[in-house]
Each structure stands twice: as C-alpha cells, then as structure tokens.
Amino acid sequence: MWTKHHKKRKLGRFVMPLITVAFLSYFGYHSIHGDYGLKATEKFDRQRIERQARLSELTQQRQILEKEVALLSDGSLERDMLDEKARFGLNMSRNDEIVIFH
C-alpha cells in the first residue's frame, strides 16, 4: 500500500479562519457604513421627517390658496377679496387706510 507522507504546515491551520474573519469583517463594515447600512438608514429617517414636515407646511399653504381661489372664482366675485388682491398686487392704498402686512 502506497501512502504519502508530508509535513503538516502550520499556516494551513490558519487559512480557513483568516478567510472567515476577512469575510465577516467586510460584510460587517458594509452593514454599518455602506450605502444601505445603519448610518444611511438613520440619515434616510432624518430626511423623511424633515420632508414630512415640509409637506405638511406646503399642504396648509395649498389649502389657504384653494380657499382664496374659491372666493375669487365661484361665479359671484367677492368684492372685498378682489379689492384686497388688487391693492396687494399693486401695492396701493387710500390715504385714509391703515395697512398691516402679515
């Protein structure tokens, strides 16, 4: 019976653990610092909250504008609303009026 006798290398024992450590280190780093990692998720959440607040502000502004348009275009023009918009657009008022801008 033929057998091969060879020396066992000491480095041979460390190859598989080194590959495993490298593999886990690579994916561990990218799970925290990568494009879709934990830090990026926190950034996305902050952006979502900021944009949600901005959306609610814009929605309120739009509702106010829709009410004003409804007053101007419902068939019977509101004289006060029309007068207010004309004076504001032209930046004019009468001598006996006090104008308060808000």
Side-chain angles (χ1 to χ4, degrees), residues 28-40:
Y29 175 81
H30 285 288
S31 68
I32 294 172
H33 299 287
D35 291 340
Y36 299 104
L38 294 175
K39 290 189 178 184

Side-chain angles (χ1 to χ4, degrees), residues 20 23 32 51 54 57 78 80 91 93 95:
T20 304
F23 181 80
I32 294 172
R51 291 179 181 173
R54 178 73 176 139
E57 290 173 13
E78 294 284 332
D80 294 336
N91 197 21
S93 64
N95 292 334

Side-chain angles (χ1 to χ4, degrees), residues 7-95:
K7 291 183 186 178
K8 289 192 174 186
R9 297 182 192 147
K10 292 189 180 196
L11 290 178
R13 290 186 270 181
F14 298 115
V15 171
M16 195 59 166
L18 286 176
I19 291 173
T20 304
V21 166
F23 181 80
L24 290 175
S25 298
Y26 176 80
F27 285 107
Y29 175 81
H30 285 288
S31 68
I32 294 172
H33 299 287
D35 291 340
Y36 299 104
L38 294 175
K39 290 189 178 184
T41 303
E42 291 173 0
K43 181 181 173 186
F44 291 147
D45 286 339
R46 273 188 267 118
Q47 284 181 349
R48 183 184 55 83
I49 290 168
E50 291 170 1
R51 291 179 181 173
Q52 188 68 32
R54 178 73 176 139
L55 177 64
S56 65
E57 290 173 13
L58 292 174
T59 303
Q60 289 175 352
Q61 286 179 350
R62 181 184 173 123
Q63 289 173 348
I64 291 168
L65 290 174
E66 284 177 352
K67 287 178 184 176
E68 291 178 2
V69 168
L71 288 174
L72 288 173
S73 65
D74 67 349
S76 64
L77 287 174
E78 294 284 332
R79 285 183 58 118
D80 294 336
M81 181 60 87
L82 185 61
D83 188 45
E84 178 186 334
K85 289 297 178 185
R87 288 173 189 241
F88 186 75
L90 297 173
N91 197 21
M92 297 179 70
S93 64
R94 291 186 286 205
N95 292 334

